[in-house]
Amino acid sequence: MRIKAIFLIMLATAEVYAQENLLDCVDTDVVKAFLGQQQVISRKVPNEYSELSMPTSFAYVGSAVREQSSSIAYKTGLDAAAAEPEVTTALEAGGWSRVVEPKRRTDRRGFQTTPRMPRTLTFCRGNRYMSSSFRQDASGTVVVMTSQLMGSGSCALTQVLAGRRASDFLPKLDLPPSVPTSSGGGSGGSNDYASSRIRFAWTKDLNALLSFFHGQLVEQGWKHTTEWSTARTAGSVWESNPEDGIRTSGTLEIARDQKTPETSVVFWVNMFEES
């Protein structure tokens, strides 16, 4: 009996330990520098996922709980394409509605410099928003689901906003062959405007670089309106009608540092809805 009691105490202690923050054993400075604060990473399933029933082929990994959001992760031997419908079915059975993204949003846009991001699905339920990403490697796929409050928003509003976004109309711009990038690409904006930018070393004439991007813009249906160039800057203005009722204007700007070949390139797009 004494051995059994000791075993039960050990089991209970292990269970309590499993619910604690799994980062407690990691150097505090490392956590602050790379993983952020105000989150608890554990084996516990947050309340908002308690009714989620995943297929047996998905092994639960753990959770991360923050002030306004929480995430859970599963691992499966399936590839991302096969895991996607399984996750969709499980979430829809739990009352989550799929937010359908326009087809034009499925391709990465802007300057093509970074590896493709993990596949992402979007869902909503009540006033909560859920994103599910799929990170595939040789051993299978890790699925990360993140839920957060939408404030005063709703599922209906989320679906409406999914239908219009200026970033959908950014062109896909490849860099010249063998260009060494000195900093990663970036993007930003809002519903009505968006931008994509990149920096790299360029020693040739700026007009040659301008022409390189011009060819890609023309191939994607953009119409050239004007351009300019100086010793250290060059640019051009474009317009297009990518869809019925949508008009866009775009500006390509190139600037080179005065003393080095460091060159910055940005493409801005503004979206207008025509009545």
Side-chain angles (χ1 to χ4, degrees):
M1 291 294 293
R2 179 176 298 178
I3 294 177
K4 181 177 181 180
I6 293 175
F7 174 76
L8 291 175
I9 292 174
M10 292 174 62
L11 183 63
T13 302
E15 177 67 19
V16 171
Y17 177 78
Q19 303 303 327
E20 294 177 350
N21 192 342
L22 298 179
L23 297 182
D24 286 345
C25 60
V26 181
D27 184 281
T28 303
D29 291 334
V30 173
V31 174
K32 290 180 180 179
F34 300 106
L35 300 175
Q37 297 176 289
Q38 305 301 320
Q39 65 175 331
V40 175
I41 297 179
S42 71
R43 302 291 186 187
K44 185 177 180 180
V45 178
N47 292 334
E48 55 265 40
Y49 304 95
S50 60
E51 298 180 0
L52 179 63
S53 178
M54 296 294 291
T56 55
S57 57
F58 287 73
Y60 181 69
V61 175
S63 67
V65 177
R66 295 164 289 275
E67 185 175 355
Q68 296 293 328
S69 65
S70 62
S71 302
I72 59 173
Y74 289 86
K75 186 169 185 178
T76 176
L78 301 173
D79 61 25
E84 180 178 315
E86 299 282 353
V87 172
T88 298
T89 298
L91 287 172
E92 289 180 341
W96 293 88
S97 299
R98 175 80 182 272
V99 179
V100 180
E101 299 279 344
K103 289 183 178 180
R104 62 176 179 269
R105 197 169 296 161
T106 59
D107 290 333
R108 185 163 53 94
R109 294 182 174 273
F111 294 104
Q112 306 296 294
T113 60
T114 57
R116 183 173 293 277
M117 297 297 289
R119 298 168 63 91
T120 300
L121 301 179
T122 304
F123 299 82
C124 61
R125 185 179 68 180
N127 66 339
R128 295 196 74 89
Y129 168 94
M130 170 87 79
S131 63
S132 301
S133 64
F134 300 77
R135 305 170 184 176
Q136 181 179 326
D137 60 23
S139 64
T141 302
V142 172
V143 182
V144 179
M145 307 178 195
T146 299
S147 171
Q148 62 185 37
L149 289 171
M150 292 191 291
S152 59
S154 65
C155 277
L157 177 60
T158 299
Q159 186 63 70
V160 170
L161 293 177
R164 57 182 296 271
R165 195 178 301 170
S167 58
D168 298 345
F169 304 109
L170 279 168
K172 296 175 66 175
L173 297 172
D174 292 316
L175 300 183
S178 303
V179 162
T181 58
S182 57
S183 67
S187 61
S190 66
N191 285 337
D192 297 327
Y193 75 91
S195 66
S196 178
R197 62 183 68 240
I198 186 66
R199 284 177 177 267
F200 52 84
W202 182 259
T203 57
K204 301 178 182 178
D205 184 72
L206 291 186
N207 286 320
L209 184 59
L210 198 66
S211 296
F212 179 82
F213 290 123
H214 282 188
Q216 298 181 62
L217 290 167
V218 170
E219 289 178 355
Q220 295 175 57
W222 288 85
K223 297 179 181 179
H224 179 269
T225 61
T226 188
E227 66 182 78
W228 72 93
S229 65
T230 67
R232 296 191 297 110
T233 66
S236 53
V237 179
W238 300 76
E239 61 181 26
S240 71
N241 292 95
E243 294 182 1
D244 291 340
I246 297 293
R247 180 171 59 87
T248 59
S249 65
T251 304
L252 176 65
E253 300 176 0
I254 302 174
R256 182 159 55 197
D257 183 75
Q258 187 172 6
K259 297 181 178 179
T260 71
E262 182 82 355
T263 302
S264 172
V265 186
V266 59
F267 190 91
W268 297 87
V269 61
N270 286 275
M271 182 186 73
F272 304 92
E273 294 189 68
E274 299 178 327
S275 57

